[in-house]
Amino acid sequence: MPTILFAAPALWSEYRDPLPAALAEAGLSDARLVTEADPAEVDYIIYAPASPLQDFTPYSRAKAVLNLWAGVERIVGNPTLTQPLCRMVDPGLTEGMVEWVVGHTLRHHLGMDRHIVNPGHVWDPTCPPLARERPVTILGMGALGSACAAALRALNFPVTGWSRTAKPGSLHGEDGLRQALSRAAILVTLLPKTPETENLLNADRLALLPRGAVILNPGRGALIDDEALLAALESGQVGQATLDVFRVEPLPPDHPYWSHPKVTVTPHIAADTRAVTAARVIAENIRRGEAGEPFLHLVDRGRGY
Ligand code: NDP
Ligand code: OXD
Protein backbone atom coordinates (compact mmCIF):
# COMPACT_ATOMS: atom_id res chain seq x y z
CA MET A 1 0.00 0.00 0.00
CA PRO A 2 2.01 3.05 -1.20
CA THR A 3 1.78 6.36 0.64
CA ILE A 4 1.29 9.26 -1.76
CA LEU A 5 1.90 12.76 -0.47
CA PHE A 6 -0.06 15.44 -2.34
CA ALA A 7 2.37 18.32 -1.73
CA ALA A 8 0.59 21.04 -3.71
CA PRO A 9 -1.96 22.31 -1.15
CA ALA A 10 -3.33 25.06 -3.38
CA LEU A 11 -4.47 22.41 -5.90
CA TRP A 12 -5.90 19.87 -3.46
CA SER A 13 -9.52 20.88 -3.99
CA GLU A 14 -9.15 20.16 -7.75
CA TYR A 15 -7.54 16.76 -7.22
CA ARG A 16 -9.23 15.39 -4.10
CA ASP A 17 -11.89 13.55 -6.19
CA PRO A 18 -10.14 12.77 -9.51
CA LEU A 19 -7.01 11.31 -7.87
CA PRO A 20 -8.67 8.57 -5.80
CA ALA A 21 -10.82 7.71 -8.85
CA ALA A 22 -7.75 7.45 -11.09
CA LEU A 23 -5.84 5.42 -8.49
CA ALA A 24 -8.78 3.01 -8.28
CA GLU A 25 -8.88 2.73 -12.10
CA ALA A 26 -5.16 1.89 -12.02
CA GLY A 27 -5.79 -0.89 -9.47
CA LEU A 28 -4.41 1.15 -6.57
CA SER A 29 -7.55 1.60 -4.43
CA ASP A 30 -5.54 0.66 -1.35
CA ALA A 31 -3.05 3.53 -1.84
CA ARG A 32 -2.84 6.01 1.03
CA LEU A 33 -3.34 9.50 -0.45
CA VAL A 34 -2.48 12.19 2.11
CA THR A 35 -1.71 15.89 2.29
CA GLU A 36 0.62 15.53 5.28
CA ALA A 37 2.88 12.65 6.24
CA ASP A 38 5.98 11.59 8.06
CA PRO A 39 8.60 11.99 5.27
CA ALA A 40 10.06 8.59 6.13
CA GLU A 41 6.77 6.93 5.11
CA VAL A 42 6.25 8.64 1.73
CA ASP A 43 6.56 6.57 -1.47
CA TYR A 44 5.52 9.19 -4.04
CA ILE A 45 5.36 12.99 -3.94
CA ILE A 46 2.92 14.90 -6.13
CA TYR A 47 4.42 18.33 -6.61
CA ALA A 48 3.73 21.75 -8.16
CA PRO A 49 6.14 24.70 -8.38
CA ALA A 50 4.45 26.63 -5.56
CA SER A 51 4.67 23.64 -3.20
CA PRO A 52 5.90 24.51 0.27
CA LEU A 53 7.94 21.29 0.09
CA GLN A 54 11.35 22.34 -1.21
CA ASP A 55 13.69 20.11 0.81
CA PHE A 56 13.44 16.55 -0.46
CA THR A 57 16.25 15.23 1.77
CA PRO A 58 14.03 13.58 4.42
CA TYR A 59 11.98 11.73 1.76
CA SER A 60 14.55 8.97 1.60
CA ARG A 61 12.12 6.25 0.59
CA ALA A 62 10.26 8.18 -2.11
CA LYS A 63 10.41 6.41 -5.47
CA ALA A 64 9.50 9.45 -7.54
CA VAL A 65 8.45 13.10 -7.53
CA LEU A 66 5.53 13.58 -9.91
CA ASN A 67 5.28 17.14 -11.18
CA LEU A 68 1.84 18.54 -12.04
CA TRP A 69 3.42 20.99 -14.48
CA ALA A 70 4.94 20.33 -17.89
CA GLY A 71 7.78 22.77 -17.21
CA VAL A 72 10.30 21.69 -14.56
CA GLU A 73 12.70 24.63 -14.43
CA ARG A 74 11.67 25.49 -10.86
CA ILE A 75 12.50 22.04 -9.50
CA VAL A 76 15.06 20.42 -11.78
CA GLY A 77 18.01 22.24 -10.20
CA ASN A 78 16.92 21.60 -6.60
CA PRO A 79 20.09 20.14 -5.02
CA THR A 80 18.08 18.16 -2.42
CA LEU A 81 16.19 16.27 -5.13
CA THR A 82 17.78 12.87 -5.65
CA GLN A 83 14.58 10.98 -6.48
CA PRO A 84 13.49 10.46 -10.12
CA LEU A 85 11.48 13.44 -11.37
CA CYS A 86 8.60 13.00 -13.83
CA ARG A 87 7.07 15.93 -15.65
CA MET A 88 3.44 16.27 -16.73
CA VAL A 89 2.34 15.21 -20.19
CA ASP A 90 -1.42 15.55 -19.86
CA PRO A 91 -3.82 15.09 -22.78
CA GLY A 92 -6.03 17.86 -21.33
CA LEU A 93 -3.10 20.29 -21.11
CA THR A 94 -2.05 19.40 -24.66
CA GLU A 95 -5.57 20.02 -25.95
CA GLY A 96 -5.58 23.43 -24.28
CA MET A 97 -2.23 24.37 -25.78
CA VAL A 98 -3.36 23.33 -29.26
CA GLU A 99 -6.46 25.53 -28.88
CA TRP A 100 -4.42 28.55 -27.71
CA VAL A 101 -1.82 28.21 -30.46
CA VAL A 102 -4.36 27.57 -33.24
CA GLY A 103 -6.60 30.40 -31.98
CA HIS A 104 -3.82 32.98 -31.86
CA THR A 105 -2.36 31.78 -35.16
CA LEU A 106 -5.74 32.24 -36.84
CA ARG A 107 -6.18 35.66 -35.24
CA HIS A 108 -3.01 36.89 -36.91
CA HIS A 109 -3.42 34.90 -40.10
CA LEU A 110 -6.93 36.23 -40.73
CA GLY A 111 -6.12 39.75 -39.49
CA MET A 112 -9.09 39.57 -37.11
CA ASP A 113 -7.99 42.66 -35.16
CA ARG A 114 -8.68 44.93 -38.17
CA HIS A 115 -12.36 44.04 -38.03
CA ILE A 116 -12.81 43.70 -34.28
CA VAL A 117 -11.31 47.12 -33.57
CA ASN A 118 -12.49 49.31 -36.45
CA PRO A 119 -13.63 52.62 -34.93
CA GLY A 120 -13.69 54.36 -38.34
CA HIS A 121 -15.96 51.67 -39.82
CA VAL A 122 -13.50 51.26 -42.70
CA TRP A 123 -14.75 48.92 -45.44
CA ASP A 124 -11.49 47.16 -46.35
CA PRO A 125 -12.25 44.14 -48.53
CA THR A 126 -8.64 42.83 -48.51
CA CYS A 127 -8.92 39.07 -48.21
CA PRO A 128 -6.24 37.23 -46.20
CA PRO A 129 -4.10 34.64 -47.99
CA LEU A 130 -4.86 30.97 -47.48
CA ALA A 131 -3.21 29.11 -44.62
CA ARG A 132 -1.13 27.18 -47.18
CA GLU A 133 0.55 30.53 -47.99
CA ARG A 134 1.41 31.40 -44.35
CA PRO A 135 4.45 29.46 -43.08
CA VAL A 136 4.53 28.73 -39.36
CA THR A 137 7.66 27.69 -37.45
CA ILE A 138 7.50 25.92 -34.11
CA LEU A 139 10.60 25.93 -31.90
CA GLY A 140 10.30 22.83 -29.69
CA MET A 141 8.72 19.73 -31.19
CA GLY A 142 8.00 17.86 -27.97
CA ALA A 143 4.65 16.80 -26.56
CA LEU A 144 3.11 20.24 -27.09
CA GLY A 145 4.95 21.50 -30.18
CA SER A 146 4.25 18.34 -32.16
CA ALA A 147 0.53 18.40 -31.25
CA CYS A 148 0.30 22.06 -32.32
CA ALA A 149 2.15 21.25 -35.55
CA ALA A 150 -0.33 18.47 -36.35
CA ALA A 151 -3.32 20.76 -35.75
CA LEU A 152 -1.87 23.60 -37.85
CA ARG A 153 -0.92 21.22 -40.66
CA ALA A 154 -4.49 19.92 -40.65
CA LEU A 155 -5.53 23.51 -41.47
CA ASN A 156 -2.95 23.56 -44.32
CA PHE A 157 -0.36 25.82 -42.67
CA PRO A 158 3.12 24.79 -43.86
CA VAL A 159 4.78 24.04 -40.51
CA THR A 160 8.53 23.88 -39.91
CA GLY A 161 9.58 22.34 -36.61
CA TRP A 162 12.91 22.74 -34.83
CA SER A 163 14.19 20.78 -31.84
CA ARG A 164 17.42 19.77 -30.11
CA THR A 165 17.69 16.34 -31.71
CA ALA A 166 17.09 15.22 -35.28
CA LYS A 167 13.50 14.13 -35.98
CA PRO A 168 11.87 13.14 -39.25
CA GLY A 169 10.42 16.21 -40.95
CA SER A 170 11.90 18.79 -38.57
CA LEU A 171 15.12 20.78 -38.30
CA HIS A 172 17.76 20.88 -35.59
CA GLY A 173 21.08 22.59 -34.82
CA GLU A 174 22.17 26.18 -35.46
CA ASP A 175 21.81 25.93 -39.23
CA GLY A 176 18.38 24.39 -38.79
CA LEU A 177 17.41 27.25 -36.48
CA ARG A 178 18.50 29.82 -39.07
CA GLN A 179 16.41 28.09 -41.73
CA ALA A 180 13.43 27.70 -39.39
CA LEU A 181 13.50 31.39 -38.42
CA SER A 182 14.01 32.65 -41.95
CA ARG A 183 10.77 31.08 -43.17
CA ALA A 184 8.53 31.94 -40.17
CA ALA A 185 5.65 34.26 -40.96
CA ILE A 186 4.36 33.13 -37.56
CA LEU A 187 6.81 31.82 -34.94
CA VAL A 188 5.63 29.70 -31.99
CA THR A 189 8.05 29.02 -29.14
CA LEU A 190 7.35 25.84 -27.18
CA LEU A 191 10.76 25.17 -25.68
CA PRO A 192 11.50 24.50 -22.02
CA LYS A 193 13.55 27.02 -20.06
CA THR A 194 17.09 25.63 -19.77
CA PRO A 195 20.54 27.25 -19.82
CA GLU A 196 20.66 26.49 -23.59
CA THR A 197 17.31 28.06 -24.44
CA GLU A 198 17.53 31.20 -22.30
CA ASN A 199 17.55 34.30 -24.56
CA LEU A 200 17.45 32.03 -27.62
CA LEU A 201 15.48 34.75 -29.39
CA ASN A 202 18.05 37.53 -29.16
CA ALA A 203 18.52 40.49 -31.53
CA ASP A 204 20.57 38.46 -34.04
CA ARG A 205 18.00 35.68 -34.25
CA LEU A 206 15.03 38.05 -34.41
CA ALA A 207 16.78 39.69 -37.37
CA LEU A 208 16.58 36.35 -39.23
CA LEU A 209 12.76 36.40 -39.25
CA PRO A 210 10.95 37.70 -42.34
CA ARG A 211 10.10 41.37 -41.73
CA GLY A 212 6.81 41.76 -39.87
CA ALA A 213 6.71 38.19 -38.54
CA VAL A 214 4.40 37.45 -35.63
CA ILE A 215 5.67 35.76 -32.46
CA LEU A 216 3.53 33.60 -30.19
CA ASN A 217 5.30 32.63 -26.96
CA PRO A 218 3.47 30.14 -24.75
CA GLY A 219 6.81 28.47 -23.80
CA ARG A 220 8.67 30.49 -21.17
CA GLY A 221 9.43 34.20 -20.85
CA ALA A 222 13.18 33.65 -20.63
CA LEU A 223 13.30 32.26 -24.18
CA ILE A 224 13.11 35.84 -25.45
CA ASP A 225 15.45 38.75 -24.82
CA ASP A 226 12.78 41.32 -23.89
CA GLU A 227 14.86 44.37 -24.85
CA ALA A 228 15.61 42.84 -28.24
CA LEU A 229 11.94 42.04 -28.83
CA LEU A 230 10.85 45.57 -27.90
CA ALA A 231 13.44 46.99 -30.30
CA ALA A 232 12.33 44.60 -33.07
CA LEU A 233 8.68 45.61 -32.54
CA GLU A 234 9.71 49.27 -32.67
CA SER A 235 11.59 48.85 -35.95
CA GLY A 236 8.83 46.75 -37.55
CA GLN A 237 11.09 43.69 -37.83
CA VAL A 238 8.54 41.90 -35.63
CA GLY A 239 4.95 42.81 -36.48
CA GLN A 240 3.16 41.57 -33.36
CA ALA A 241 3.89 39.44 -30.31
CA THR A 242 1.38 37.48 -28.28
CA LEU A 243 3.04 36.52 -25.02
CA ASP A 244 1.64 34.16 -22.39
CA VAL A 245 4.73 33.72 -20.21
CA PHE A 246 7.18 36.17 -18.70
CA ARG A 247 10.41 36.31 -16.71
CA VAL A 248 8.44 37.73 -13.78
CA GLU A 249 4.83 36.57 -13.26
CA PRO A 250 2.43 38.21 -12.75
CA LEU A 251 3.85 40.64 -15.31
CA PRO A 252 4.63 43.83 -13.30
CA PRO A 253 2.04 46.62 -13.90
CA ASP A 254 4.65 49.00 -15.30
CA HIS A 255 6.12 46.51 -17.78
CA PRO A 256 6.23 47.99 -21.31
CA TYR A 257 4.51 44.90 -22.74
CA TRP A 258 1.21 45.85 -21.07
CA SER A 259 0.77 49.07 -23.01
CA HIS A 260 2.63 48.20 -26.20
CA PRO A 261 0.25 48.48 -29.18
CA LYS A 262 1.88 45.50 -30.91
CA VAL A 263 1.89 43.18 -27.89
CA THR A 264 -0.93 41.03 -26.55
CA VAL A 265 -0.42 39.74 -23.01
CA THR A 266 -2.23 36.61 -21.86
CA PRO A 267 -1.69 35.74 -18.18
CA HIS A 268 -0.01 32.29 -18.39
CA ILE A 269 -3.25 30.63 -19.41
CA ALA A 270 -2.21 29.00 -22.68
CA ALA A 271 -2.67 25.56 -21.17
CA ASP A 272 -3.48 24.38 -17.70
CA THR A 273 -3.03 20.86 -16.36
CA ARG A 274 -6.56 19.37 -16.20
CA ALA A 275 -7.14 17.43 -13.00
CA VAL A 276 -9.17 14.53 -14.41
CA THR A 277 -6.73 13.64 -17.18
CA ALA A 278 -3.61 14.55 -15.18
CA ALA A 279 -4.73 12.35 -12.28
CA ARG A 280 -4.71 9.37 -14.68
CA VAL A 281 -1.14 10.17 -15.73
CA ILE A 282 -0.06 10.37 -12.07
CA ALA A 283 -1.86 7.12 -11.21
CA GLU A 284 -0.28 5.31 -14.17
CA ASN A 285 3.18 6.39 -13.03
CA ILE A 286 2.49 5.17 -9.50
CA ARG A 287 1.23 1.87 -10.91
CA ARG A 288 4.46 1.61 -12.89
CA GLY A 289 6.55 2.43 -9.83
CA GLU A 290 4.79 -0.27 -7.83
CA ALA A 291 5.15 -2.81 -10.67
CA GLY A 292 8.86 -2.02 -11.11
CA GLU A 293 8.23 -0.69 -14.62
CA PRO A 294 9.98 2.42 -16.02
CA PHE A 295 8.29 5.74 -15.26
CA LEU A 296 6.71 7.79 -18.02
CA HIS A 297 7.95 11.32 -18.79
CA LEU A 298 11.17 11.09 -16.75
CA VAL A 299 13.14 14.32 -16.69
CA ASP A 300 16.79 14.22 -17.71
CA ARG A 301 18.44 16.41 -15.05
CA GLY A 302 21.52 16.97 -17.19
CA ARG A 303 19.45 18.33 -20.06
CA GLY A 304 17.17 20.27 -17.72
CA TYR A 305 13.88 19.04 -19.20
P1 NDP B 1 8.84 18.49 -24.16
O1 NDP B 1 9.96 18.19 -23.22
O2 NDP B 1 7.96 17.39 -24.62
O3 NDP B 1 9.44 19.17 -25.48
C1 NDP B 1 10.44 20.12 -25.44
C2 NDP B 1 10.95 20.34 -26.84
O4 NDP B 1 11.95 21.36 -26.82
C3 NDP B 1 11.60 19.10 -27.44
O5 NDP B 1 11.27 18.98 -28.80
C4 NDP B 1 13.09 19.39 -27.30
O6 NDP B 1 13.92 18.78 -28.26
C5 NDP B 1 13.11 20.89 -27.50
N1 NDP B 1 14.32 21.47 -26.91
C6 NDP B 1 14.71 21.47 -25.62
N2 NDP B 1 15.90 22.09 -25.49
C7 NDP B 1 16.25 22.49 -26.74
C8 NDP B 1 17.36 23.17 -27.27
N3 NDP B 1 18.40 23.57 -26.50
N4 NDP B 1 17.41 23.40 -28.59
C9 NDP B 1 16.39 23.00 -29.39
N5 NDP B 1 15.30 22.34 -28.96
C10 NDP B 1 15.24 22.10 -27.64
O7 NDP B 1 8.01 19.66 -23.49
P2 NDP B 1 6.48 20.06 -23.74
O8 NDP B 1 6.25 20.11 -25.20
O9 NDP B 1 5.60 19.22 -22.91
O10 NDP B 1 6.46 21.53 -23.11
C11 NDP B 1 7.27 22.56 -23.62
C12 NDP B 1 7.24 23.76 -22.70
O11 NDP B 1 5.98 24.41 -22.79
C13 NDP B 1 7.36 23.46 -21.20
O12 NDP B 1 8.69 23.20 -20.83
C14 NDP B 1 6.84 24.74 -20.59
O13 NDP B 1 7.88 25.67 -20.47
C15 NDP B 1 5.82 25.24 -21.63
N6 NDP B 1 4.45 25.15 -21.14
C16 NDP B 1 3.72 26.30 -21.06
C17 NDP B 1 2.40 26.27 -20.64
C18 NDP B 1 1.58 27.50 -20.59
O14 NDP B 1 0.44 27.49 -20.10
N7 NDP B 1 2.06 28.62 -21.10
C19 NDP B 1 1.75 25.00 -20.26
C20 NDP B 1 2.61 23.87 -20.38
C21 NDP B 1 3.91 23.94 -20.82
P3 NDP B 1 14.07 17.18 -28.34
O15 NDP B 1 12.73 16.72 -28.85
O16 NDP B 1 15.16 16.99 -29.33
O17 NDP B 1 14.37 16.71 -26.95
C1 OXD C 1 3.35 24.15 -17.16
C2 OXD C 1 2.75 25.47 -17.26
O1 OXD C 1 4.57 24.05 -17.27
O2 OXD C 1 1.55 25.61 -16.93
O3 OXD C 1 2.61 23.16 -16.98
O4 OXD C 1 3.41 26.43 -17.67
Side-chain angles (χ1 to χ4, degrees), residues 252-303:
D254 58 349
H255 196 286
Y257 284 151
W258 279 119
S259 52
H260 200 292
K262 295 180 182 170
V263 174
T264 300
V265 169
T266 63
H268 200 145
I269 43 80
D272 207 359
T273 305
R274 308 290 160 148
V276 170
T277 42
R280 293 197 188 112
V281 178
I282 298 281
E284 168 60 11
N285 254 342
I286 295 173
R287 186 201 66 72
R288 285 171 169 254
E290 292 306 280
E293 295 173 21
F295 289 116
L296 296 172
H297 319 311
L298 258 186
V299 171
D300 179 328
R301 307 270 175 90
R303 264 178 2 196

Side-chain angles (χ1 to χ4, degrees), residues 188-204:
V188 183
T189 46
L190 270 167
L191 295 160
K193 180 188 169 203
T194 70
E196 282 73 44
T197 62
E198 187 147 7
N199 287 321
L200 187 98
L201 289 184
N202 56 21
D204 290 346

Side-chain angles (χ1 to χ4, degrees), residues 119-286:
H121 300 174
V122 176
W123 182 268
D124 173 4
T126 314
C127 212
L130 292 173
R132 68 179 74 253
E133 296 157 330
R134 183 91 69 186
V136 177
T137 287
I138 302 184
L139 304 184
M141 288 293 280
L144 300 176
S146 56
C148 293
L152 291 169
R153 283 181 180 135
L155 291 170
N156 287 338
F157 287 100
V159 177
T160 300
W162 179 77
S163 52
R164 194 179 54 84
T165 54
K167 294 185 201 306
S170 87
L171 299 168
H172 68 284
E174 194 58 41
D175 268 2
L177 180 57
R178 270 194 289 276
Q179 282 182 55
L181 292 174
S182 67
R183 57 175 82 149
I186 298 180
L187 177 69
V188 183
T189 46
L190 270 167
L191 295 160
K193 180 188 169 203
T194 70
E196 282 73 44
T197 62
E198 187 147 7
N199 287 321
L200 187 98
L201 289 184
N202 56 21
D204 290 346
R205 298 222 175 86
L206 292 172
L208 295 172
L209 292 166
R211 192 166 172 79
V214 166
I215 295 180
L216 310 181
N217 182 20
R220 283 293 182 259
L223 303 176
I224 302 183
D225 174 338
D226 292 322
E227 292 306 314
L229 176 58
L230 287 164
L233 286 161
E234 221 47 61
S235 72
Q237 169 59 12
V238 171
Q240 223 280 352
T242 296
L243 309 173
D244 184 60
V245 281
F246 305 91
R247 283 165 199 272
V248 177
E249 293 181 6
L251 186 65
D254 58 349
H255 196 286
Y257 284 151
W258 279 119
S259 52
H260 200 292
K262 295 180 182 170
V263 174
T264 300
V265 169
T266 63
H268 200 145
I269 43 80
D272 207 359
T273 305
R274 308 290 160 148
V276 170
T277 42
R280 293 197 188 112
V281 178
I282 298 281
E284 168 60 11
N285 254 342
I286 295 173

Side-chain angles (χ1 to χ4, degrees), residues 47-91:
Y47 172 91
S51 291
L53 197 175
Q54 293 298 327
D55 180 6
F56 294 90
T57 319
Y59 295 87
S60 50
R61 122 184 201 154
K63 295 181 191 160
V65 175
L66 306 169
N67 196 25
L68 290 174
W69 281 39
V72 291
E73 73 279 2
R74 284 163 70 181
I75 180 174
V76 73
N78 185 322
T80 68
L81 181 72
T82 51
Q83 302 83 349
L85 171 65
C86 301
R87 62 189 208 89
M88 180 51 68
V89 178
D90 161 32

